[in-house]
Amino acid sequence: MNWSKISLIIAAVLLAAIPFVSDSRTWLILLTQIFIFSILAMSYDVLLGYAGMVSFGHAMFFGIGAYTTAVLLDRFEPTLLVFSLSIAAGMLIAGIISFFVGLLTLRLKDHFFAMLTLALSGLFLVLAEKWRSVTNGNDGFTFSAPDVFRDRAVFYLTVLALLVVVYFALRRFTNSPLGRVLIAVRENEQRTKALGYRTLAYKVIASVVAGVTASLAGSLYVVSLRFVNTSVMAMDVTLDALLMTIIGGVGTLIGPIIGAGIIELAQHYLSDLAGEYPLFERWIIFFGILYILAVIFFPTGIAGFFKSLFSRRRRPEADAPPLEPAKPEVPR
């Protein structure tokens, strides 16, 4: 195991110890939200960082997972089994839809692809608003979570465990030969296609993986709130995921986790300051400033900046000429 994996495991153990050393309910809820949006941001990083695709409709899959879990927990007895089946059902539905959406949209390039994903996401948002017999429209509905999750510490540890599993699963995916082909597609799709790779198939696989992961994040999000409405499919969800990915570092997986922590903590503290100082009532302006500063000073994101910094420190040692072996003395 290299040092990066060891440090991540140590960080996960320290985070797992928080419920046992602190009884702050606010911090447990806030960290749980950070973990959930970290999963969402990592799913977006698969599209943006590894396949080079900018999607404006990623909230569609987040909302599919959210509504699937909420509806099943509302219609059936909210047990742990139903919760698990709802997550699996949401991931299955998101995988099927992302497959067909990928076939439909991934033949397009750049802004044409982005605009079509935005249009499809808007269709699903309208469906959620109009299908009131299931979704209750914009008003939404509340539901009960499994009894075991009434203890916030249990749900916190569950989400943390899923975050660790998703991170290592996506890391294995991106470091696999398939992930290497995706990086080649991102860098130069025409050359990759000329080498004999079916680039559309690889991009569809990336779309399915990203959609399934985003659905998991949506399922966990609504259980943390015990409430769902059409805001889970709003454009703001996609923009948050995009912002977290860019600030943390595109194509790093650990970067979106850092970005999710920064964005969620900033929202929390700026909202608190808005109650005391009128200047912070328009706290969305500060996010624009944060984004501008991140692009100027960290063009590769925070994780990308430190990665390049460490690589520069190691390079002089690697470039140094090897020491010549000492010549044995010839006896006279």
Side-chain angles (χ1 to χ4, degrees), residues 45-87:
D45 194 31
V46 172
L47 289 178
L48 180 62
Y50 291 92
M53 300 180 292
V54 180
S55 172
F56 287 153
H58 206 55
M60 170 173 52
F61 307 112
F62 185 81
I64 288 172
Y67 270 111
T68 302
T69 296
V71 170
L72 289 180
L73 288 177
D74 183 56
R75 301 293 175 88
F76 299 96
E77 185 178 355
T79 62
L80 195 59
L81 177 61
V82 174
F83 169 69
S84 303
L85 291 176
S86 70
I87 290 180

Side-chain angles (χ1 to χ4, degrees), residues 17-329:
I18 289 179
F20 302 101
V21 298
S22 174
D23 57 353
S24 174
R25 181 181 175 87
T26 302
W27 268 104
L28 281 183
I29 295 174
L30 179 59
L31 288 174
T32 302
Q33 294 293 314
I34 291 174
F35 298 158
I36 293 171
F37 279 99
S38 296
I39 296 174
L40 175 65
M42 283 193 295
S43 72
Y44 196 87
D45 194 31
V46 172
L47 289 178
L48 180 62
Y50 291 92
M53 300 180 292
V54 180
S55 172
F56 287 153
H58 206 55
M60 170 173 52
F61 307 112
F62 185 81
I64 288 172
Y67 270 111
T68 302
T69 296
V71 170
L72 289 180
L73 288 177
D74 183 56
R75 301 293 175 88
F76 299 96
E77 185 178 355
T79 62
L80 195 59
L81 177 61
V82 174
F83 169 69
S84 303
L85 291 176
S86 70
I87 290 180
M91 295 172 72
L92 178 62
I93 296 171
I96 294 172
I97 293 177
S98 62
F99 174 78
F100 288 106
V101 168
L103 288 178
L104 179 63
T105 61
L106 290 173
R107 300 179 187 275
L108 302 176
K109 307 294 182 183
D110 302 329
H111 58 281
F112 298 106
F113 166 76
M115 290 298 102
L116 187 54
T117 56
L118 177 61
L120 291 174
S121 179
L123 289 177
F124 276 85
L125 177 59
V126 172
L127 176 64
E129 291 175 348
K130 301 302 182 183
W131 199 2
R132 297 188 63 88
S133 60
V134 175
T135 65
N136 205 28
N138 292 327
D139 297 330
F141 60 91
T142 58
F143 58 92
S144 299
D147 292 338
V148 68
F149 292 148
R150 290 183 180 179
D151 185 354
R152 284 285 178 176
V154 174
F155 187 67
Y156 168 89
L157 294 173
T158 301
V159 176
L160 175 60
L162 289 173
L163 171 63
V164 173
V165 170
V166 169
Y167 172 78
F168 282 107
L170 291 181
R171 182 169 177 167
R172 182 69 186 90
F173 171 75
T174 54
N175 289 333
S176 66
L178 192 151
R180 298 301 181 186
V181 175
L182 283 177
I183 295 175
V185 171
R186 179 195 67 192
E187 297 298 328
N188 193 323
E189 183 175 354
Q190 294 302 322
R191 181 176 295 178
T192 306
K193 189 180 296 185
L195 291 174
Y197 291 100
R198 298 175 60 186
T199 57
L200 177 62
Y202 285 94
K203 291 195 292 184
V204 169
I205 292 173
S207 176
V208 172
V209 171
V212 167
T213 309
S215 172
L216 171 62
S219 297
L220 297 174
Y221 178 72
V222 293
V223 173
S224 69
L225 299 180
R226 274 76 161 177
F227 173 78
V228 65
N229 65 357
T230 54
S231 63
V232 295
M233 287 190 175
M235 182 66 180
D236 294 345
V237 176
T238 301
L239 293 180
D240 283 344
L242 175 61
L243 189 60
M244 292 170 185
T245 304
I246 292 177
I247 289 178
V250 177
T252 60
L253 286 184
I254 195 64
I257 299 177
I258 297 173
I262 293 174
I263 296 299
E264 290 299 310
L265 288 172
Q267 285 184 353
H268 175 73
Y269 285 109
L270 289 175
S271 299
D272 289 344
L273 289 174
E276 300 179 9
Y277 306 100
L279 174 64
F280 294 95
E281 290 181 355
R282 304 295 181 182
W283 51 266
I284 192 65
I285 298 175
F286 292 93
F287 275 118
I289 297 173
L290 178 65
Y291 179 74
I292 294 172
L293 293 176
V295 171
I296 293 175
F297 295 103
F298 302 100
T300 59
I302 296 174
F305 170 78
F306 285 106
K307 184 178 179 180
S308 61
L309 182 64
F310 290 142
S311 64
R312 284 198 300 267
R313 288 183 176 181
R314 293 175 182 175
R315 193 171 300 161
E317 299 179 1
D319 295 341
L323 296 176
E324 295 183 1
K327 296 181 179 180
E329 294 183 0

